[in-house]
Every structure is written in structure tokens, then in C-alpha cells.
Amino acid sequence: MLRRAGFLVSALALAPATITASASGPTVRLTVSPSPSYALEPTGIEVHAVSGASVTRLRVRALAPSGAVSRVRTQVVGRGLRRGTFRFPVAGAWRLIVTDRAGEQVHGAGARTVRVLAPRPTPPPRGFGAVGAPGCSPASPLDPNAKGTPDIYGTALAGERLWALPDVPEGAAFARRDRAVFDGLVGKEIKIIFGMTAFHAPFRALGPSGQVLDPTWGPSFHSSSNWDRQPGVEWGAGFVFSVAGCWRIETGAFGAVYLSIRS
């Protein structure tokens, strides 16, 4: 009988950590900050063991509105506490759950629904117009105080900054002084210098009918620069736009430059 009891104790000691519900509620709780959260911005996530129990074997999973599951990276920072950050890639109602290492939901651990809002664009500098938007409504704004070729302020998300400096080819020209609107650019290669807080892939252009356009050359990264708009990483690339319309040059999910090409 003692041996049987010893066997039971040993088996329990080797079993995966599970947390059971109590009459007073869950013994593990999730906290999220800020709430609501914004897509692409870091969100702090903590797992607290209410009883102070170990959280070493616990994990956090994020369930997207589409049903896809992502792992939330956390680490133990104290007894009964795990902490980490997560960037929700899209807006919508997300659900966080506590699991074991195998991904099975832990009994008694309270799940958390998180309302994730659309990503916020970084505000433009003083004097610039509103940032560019889909359909070039509006196109990206230009530097209103430029003496020569104006800088273009891109639409950057999650606190990043994106700039573009075009080298307009012969036969093409800016059609406006306040927005990235061009005449005579269809079929001609334009060289553009980009500066962004960080480089994000994929780097490409999307056309007015959904065309996907890779650069004719680049991205070619610059090891040094004297461009005062360069916020972190600088590179150059060339594009040939085949048709008129609104073209969005995107740097992953974090930034875009909207060019309205009239001809």
C-alpha cells in the first residue's frame, strides 16, 4: 500500500503542470497593457499565478479573429509571474489563452479577449499635410519648404518614420507642390532614396489594379548618408510604373509611400 502511494506521488510529480479552477475563480490571470491595443504596436502581456505557484511550464497563445494561432513569447521574471510583449498584426477581437508546453489550454486559467484597433500612423512633421492613404486619397505629402527636390513623408505605422527622396527622370515632373503627384512618369525609371526607422520586407509597389511590381534594382543599402531625413536605415531602389494611377510602395506592413501618377 505504501509502495502504491509512493508510485502515485511520483507520477504526480512528473505530470505536466496544470492549474485547476477553484470556487473563487481562476488561479491564473492574464493582464494586457495597453487595453485596447493597437495593431503592430508592442502590447505588454503578463501571466500571474494568483496563488504564487510556479509559472515555468505555462505558455501564452494568441487566437486571431481568423482563427489562426500565434505564440506569445514570455519569460519568467519572478515567482508566479511571466512577462512578454506581442505585436498583434491585424485589428479585431483577439483571444489570449494560457497553455502548457504542448499547447493545450490550462484548466482554470482565465482567457482574455483583447480589442485590437487599426494601426496608428506616425503624425507628419509640422507644416506637412495629412499622411498618404489608400487610393491616394490623399497621395503622400511633400515638404512645403523644399528649395529643390522635395522630400516625401511616407505613411509609417507603430511609431516608425518613413521618408522618400525621388530623382525625377527627364520628361517627368511633380504636378503639385504639396503632394506626391506626377506627370509624364509612366514607363520611365525613377530612382528613389528611402529612409526608415527600420527596413521591413516585402519591399515592392502595388498598382491601381492590384499589380505587384518589384523594383528594377535594389534595395541597395547605404552605409553612410548626409540626408537629414534619414531616421535609421537608408536604401535606394528604381521603379518603372507601367500605367497611370495610384501606386503604393510598401515596406512590409509598417510603411507605405503613395504616389499618384497622372501620366
Side-chain angles (χ1 to χ4, degrees), residues 130-133 136 138-142 152-155 178-181 256-259:
V131 296
C136 292
S140 293
L142 304 181
I152 302 172
Y153 185 73
T155 302
D178 61 338
R179 295 284 169 184
V181 181
V257 175
Y258 293 91
L259 308 181

Side-chain angles (χ1 to χ4, degrees), residues 23-196:
S24 59
T27 54
V28 168
R29 59 185 173 87
L30 284 163
T31 61
V32 178
S33 179
S35 181
S37 301
Y38 287 89
L40 302 180
E41 296 185 19
T43 297
I45 296 171
E46 293 184 346
V47 181
H48 302 260
V50 176
S51 61
S54 172
V55 293
T56 302
R57 298 184 181 182
L58 301 183
R59 300 294 184 267
V60 180
R61 299 291 190 274
L63 280 64
S66 65
V69 180
S70 300
R71 177 183 173 185
V72 177
R73 296 186 179 276
T74 61
Q75 61 181 357
V76 177
V77 295
R79 181 166 179 80
L81 177 62
R82 296 188 72 96
R83 180 178 295 150
T85 59
F86 185 71
R87 293 177 186 260
F88 295 97
V90 298
W94 286 71
R95 192 160 179 80
L96 298 177
I97 62 172
V98 179
T99 73
D100 59 20
R101 288 174 174 172
E104 296 294 326
Q105 187 169 1
V106 172
H107 299 294
R112 177 73 183 268
T113 298
V114 181
R115 184 163 66 99
V116 179
L117 306 179
R120 298 183 289 185
T122 305
R126 184 183 298 274
F128 279 71
V131 296
C136 292
S137 298
S140 293
L142 304 181
D143 182 355
N145 301 312
K147 302 303 182 184
T149 301
D151 298 321
I152 302 172
Y153 185 73
T155 302
L157 306 176
E160 297 211 25
R161 288 188 175 272
L162 172 61
W163 291 92
L165 178 61
D167 183 4
V168 181
E170 185 177 354
F174 283 99
R176 292 179 55 168
R177 296 177 60 87
D178 61 338
R179 295 284 169 184
V181 181
F182 298 87
D183 285 335
L185 189 55
V186 172
K188 300 181 179 71
E189 183 179 89
I190 182 171
K191 173 185 176 181
I192 305 176
I193 304 301
F194 296 87
M196 193 170 185

